[in-house]
Amino acid sequence: MTERIISNLNDVEEGVEFLKQTCPRMAQAHAMTGPLPLRRKPDGFAQLLSAIVSQQVSVASANAIWTRMKDAGLTGPRKIKWASDDDLRAVGLSRQKIRYARELAASGIDFRALRDKPTAEVVTDLTQVPGIGVWTAEIYAMFSLGRADVFAPGDLALQEAARLLYDLPDRPKDRALRDMARAWSPWRSVAARQLWAYYRVAKQREGIR
């Protein structure tokens, strides 16, 4: 696996410089937001479970649920398997997300092996698990595996940030935003960080955990 990995803030800054040279709108966004965060997270079961928790809820709601799960010790596969549905409901998981958490706990994903697989294979492997869609897999590849050239065009905050930054009449849908993102390769993950940071300034709220 020869894909570029974002390991530190120097890598992020290298990506920012590329984007500023490539696209005046990205340069404009960066002038508004200032330096971008690293946003690297550990890999493994807990981070993927956390991404499932974040699906289709606000950042504040996801943070609250995840805090309750950590306090209850419900962040590992064995604890999820042993917990009752009432235990999982008590921390804020919906019926659907309880099923997804149990599917993930039973999946037997080799998280260490994912580190050496191309991003496309990572996404393919992860999306075999019920409850893990392309968005969740791409977010995991971006933040937990540090892939420099992955994007998550299904993310509503990225779509809204792109609409605002590029003066589009409507939010670009998944396919249209994926097409736009090709211009930001090989630093699409940094472009995503820039758009999330721009969203935070423009909308005065967080777009991603």
Side-chain angles (χ1 to χ4, degrees), residues 80-140:
I80 293 295
K81 289 177 181 178
W82 296 339
S84 68
D85 284 0
D86 285 344
D87 292 334
L88 296 174
R89 273 195 294 270
V91 296
L93 291 185
S94 65
R95 182 173 62 179
Q96 185 178 55
K97 288 189 179 178
I98 289 171
R99 181 170 75 85
Y100 292 163
R102 295 197 188 285
E103 293 278 6
L104 178 61
S107 66
I109 293 171
D110 185 345
F111 289 100
R112 187 176 295 275
L114 292 180
R115 297 174 187 174
D116 298 320
K117 290 190 175 186
T119 296
E121 289 186 28
V122 171
V123 172
T124 297
D125 287 354
L126 292 181
T127 53
Q128 301 305 305
V129 181
I132 300 179
V134 173
W135 176 86
T136 303
E138 288 173 333
I139 293 296
Y140 183 84

Side-chain angles (χ1 to χ4, degrees), residues 29-191:
H30 192 70
M32 293 175 63
T33 64
L36 302 182
L38 179 58
R39 288 194 180 277
R40 276 302 306 268
K41 296 182 177 180
D43 63 344
F45 179 89
Q47 289 301 322
L48 202 49
L49 180 61
S50 177
I52 289 174
V53 168
S54 296
Q55 293 171 359
Q56 298 179 321
V57 297
S58 70
V59 171
S61 294
N63 283 337
I65 294 168
W66 188 244
T67 296
R68 290 196 294 270
M69 292 181 73
K70 288 194 296 183
D71 289 346
L74 293 171
T75 59
R78 286 184 295 178
K79 292 295 184 67
I80 293 295
K81 289 177 181 178
W82 296 339
S84 68
D85 284 0
D86 285 344
D87 292 334
L88 296 174
R89 273 195 294 270
V91 296
L93 291 185
S94 65
R95 182 173 62 179
Q96 185 178 55
K97 288 189 179 178
I98 289 171
R99 181 170 75 85
Y100 292 163
R102 295 197 188 285
E103 293 278 6
L104 178 61
S107 66
I109 293 171
D110 185 345
F111 289 100
R112 187 176 295 275
L114 292 180
R115 297 174 187 174
D116 298 320
K117 290 190 175 186
T119 296
E121 289 186 28
V122 171
V123 172
T124 297
D125 287 354
L126 292 181
T127 53
Q128 301 305 305
V129 181
I132 300 179
V134 173
W135 176 86
T136 303
E138 288 173 333
I139 293 296
Y140 183 84
M142 188 183 301
F143 294 152
S144 291
L145 299 180
R147 304 299 168 82
D149 198 30
V150 62
F151 200 71
D155 187 270
L156 293 180
L158 291 181
Q159 292 174 6
E160 177 66 6
R163 181 188 73 81
L164 293 169
L165 183 59
Y166 290 90
D167 295 323
L168 303 176
D170 300 295
R171 285 181 186 169
K173 300 300 184 185
D174 188 320
R175 183 176 298 179
L177 188 53
R178 193 177 295 277
D179 287 343
M180 281 182 67
R182 290 197 180 101
W184 306 322
S185 183
W187 290 103
R188 282 177 284 189
S189 290
V190 177

